[in-house]
Amino acid sequence: MEKTELRIVFMGTPDFAVPSLDALVQGGYNVVGVITMPDKPAGRGHHLQPSPVKEYAVAHNIPVLQPEKLKDPDFIGALRELRADLQVVVAFRMLPEVVWGMPRCGTFNLHAALLPQYRGAAPLNWAVINGDTKTGATTFFLDKDIDTGRIILKDELPIGPDDTVGDVHDRLMVQGAALVARTVDLVLAADGDITRIPTIDQEALIADLQAQAALEGRSFELRPAPKIFRETCEIDWNRPAWQIRDFVRGLSPYPAAWFNLSLSSGESVVAKVFRVTVGDPASDAPGTLDSDGRTCLRIAAADRWVQIEEIQLPGKKRMPVKALLNGFRL
């Protein structure tokens, strides 16, 4: 089967999905349509802003559908008219079966983790928060449950000791794009018969991993990747300093870890934190703040001082802590 014979519909919304769509377009694959989120109000004027994927599709003259509801009959009808053989999903919404089951070659998703680990909405954040030294991307065929379908391909990516989730995101979206193209090539090589593509059943893989761990005398656990909310991002100073450092890395630059900071005026504000370092052992109670008023702002964790390096107050830009201390008294 030639590239031009396989009709592909791409589904995605944020920046992370754009390199994958670009890899298909630049690779000469036949992308016949793009599905993305509806335009959203943004900025002070609340002007409608298209998603990055829509902007790319419009610039390359690819038809775009933006359904509010994925089970809407009008959308389902328009999707059928695209006559997709294969659907590719990168950073999109959970699909109903009437959508993912439509193409004859199925629908595959690019997940930003090494499945079966980190099933869920925020795999990159949780990998960094948990202090992992590697992550990766997985392509798998969608089924009725979340992130449980048969695995097609995997590709590992190291996480450096100082990497933030933003650093990992930017590298993985490029590496993931190449994995998407390789996965489509497997569909092409199978002449559209996806039963000829070697895949791995996730439940069988989990059983194998559990058995291997038991033989080695260690435990095996699946780590989830649930959606992150504002309350998830509050720093718990009762935790060890190195865990707090990983927590900040795993939420930087977005949505950002935070804590309540008291100013000399008596006002308490939410301070977002983007970078910290681990300092000397601390005997003060967790949450105790210490500052020289010029260059140093540190807070006691369960075992050591956590030095705040980059911070942001409401209505202000992200800045080094030295710049903050030049303008505020704590």
Side-chain angles (χ1 to χ4, degrees):
M1 178 182 290
E2 298 297 324
K3 290 182 177 181
T4 55
E5 295 179 88
L6 186 73
R7 297 175 62 85
I8 299 172
V9 165
F10 184 89
M11 301 183 179
T13 295
D15 289 330
F16 186 86
V18 173
S20 292
L21 177 56
D22 183 61
L24 297 178
V25 171
Q26 300 303 325
Y29 300 91
N30 186 19
V31 180
V32 298
V34 161
I35 317 300
T36 190
M37 291 286 285
D39 298 355
K40 290 187 175 181
R44 292 185 178 180
H46 296 283
H47 299 296
L48 289 178
Q49 179 68 37
S51 73
V53 164
K54 179 182 177 180
E55 290 182 328
Y56 182 95
V58 169
H60 290 80
N61 299 310
I62 304 172
V64 177
L65 297 177
Q66 296 178 270
E68 290 280 355
K69 297 180 179 180
L70 295 176
K71 291 184 179 180
D72 181 85
D74 290 339
F75 165 65
I76 297 299
L79 184 60
R80 283 202 176 98
E81 289 179 3
L82 292 175
R83 296 182 292 110
D85 299 306
L86 175 70
Q87 291 175 159
V88 178
V89 182
V90 181
F92 195 53
R93 299 147 66 183
M94 184 177 177
L95 301 180
E97 185 172 358
V98 67
V99 173
W100 60 257
M102 190 180 296
R104 65 181 182 86
C105 297
T107 300
F108 78 80
N109 181 65
L110 174 72
H111 188 69
L114 299 172
L115 290 174
Q117 293 291 7
Y118 294 112
R119 293 168 172 170
L124 289 183
N125 298 95
W126 287 108
V128 179
I129 288 171
N130 288 332
D132 290 1
T133 57
K134 71 176 181 180
T135 183
T138 304
T139 53
F140 67 97
F141 285 115
L142 292 184
D143 63 15
K144 59 183 177 61
D145 295 315
I146 298 176
D147 302 333
T148 60
R150 296 186 67 84
I151 292 170
I152 308 167
L153 292 174
K154 286 187 182 186
D155 202 6
E156 291 187 1
L157 178 77
I159 301 175
D162 296 319
D163 281 342
T164 66
V165 71
D167 299 324
V168 179
H169 169 281
D170 291 350
R171 294 200 303 270
L172 193 63
M173 71 178 181
V174 176
Q175 190 166 317
L179 193 65
V180 164
R182 286 169 51 200
T183 304
V184 175
D185 284 342
L186 287 179
V187 177
L188 289 169
D191 284 330
D193 182 1
I194 58 174
T195 62
R196 294 171 50 191
I197 299 174
T199 57
I200 300 172
D201 179 80
Q202 288 200 47
E203 296 310 311
L205 176 59
I206 292 170
D208 289 345
L209 293 171
Q210 290 172 333
Q212 182 63 34
L215 286 174
E216 297 173 359
R218 56 182 176 83
S219 61
F220 172 80
E221 62 175 346
L222 284 178
R223 287 182 163 180
K227 187 175 181 178
I228 290 176
F229 299 95
R230 181 183 181 277
E231 56 269 23
T232 311
C233 302
E234 183 177 6
I235 299 172
D236 180 1
W237 300 108
N238 292 295
R239 300 179 70 85
W242 285 104
Q243 287 187 14
I244 292 174
R245 179 178 178 272
D246 290 339
F247 184 76
V248 171
R249 290 194 304 126
L251 297 170
S252 178
Y254 181 82
W258 62 271
F259 69 100
N260 288 309
L261 178 65
S262 296
L263 306 180
S264 59
S265 63
E267 180 186 9
S268 179
V269 298
V270 170
K272 292 184 177 181
V273 183
F274 301 92
R275 187 166 63 90
V276 301
T277 53
V278 175
D280 297 330
S283 57
D284 295 64
T288 301
L289 184 146
D290 179 54
S291 175
D292 63 4
R294 301 186 308 276
T295 62
C296 174
L297 172 61
R298 62 180 187 170
I299 300 175
D303 54 352
R304 291 178 172 271
W305 290 100
V306 174
Q307 185 95 12
I308 310 296
E309 303 293 348
E310 288 186 74
I311 196 169
Q312 182 179 16
L313 299 190
K316 303 293 181 181
K317 294 181 178 180
R318 172 178 171 177
M319 64 183 73
V321 76
K322 180 179 178 181
L324 172 76
L325 295 176
N326 283 337
F328 290 89
R329 290 190 176 183
L330 308 179

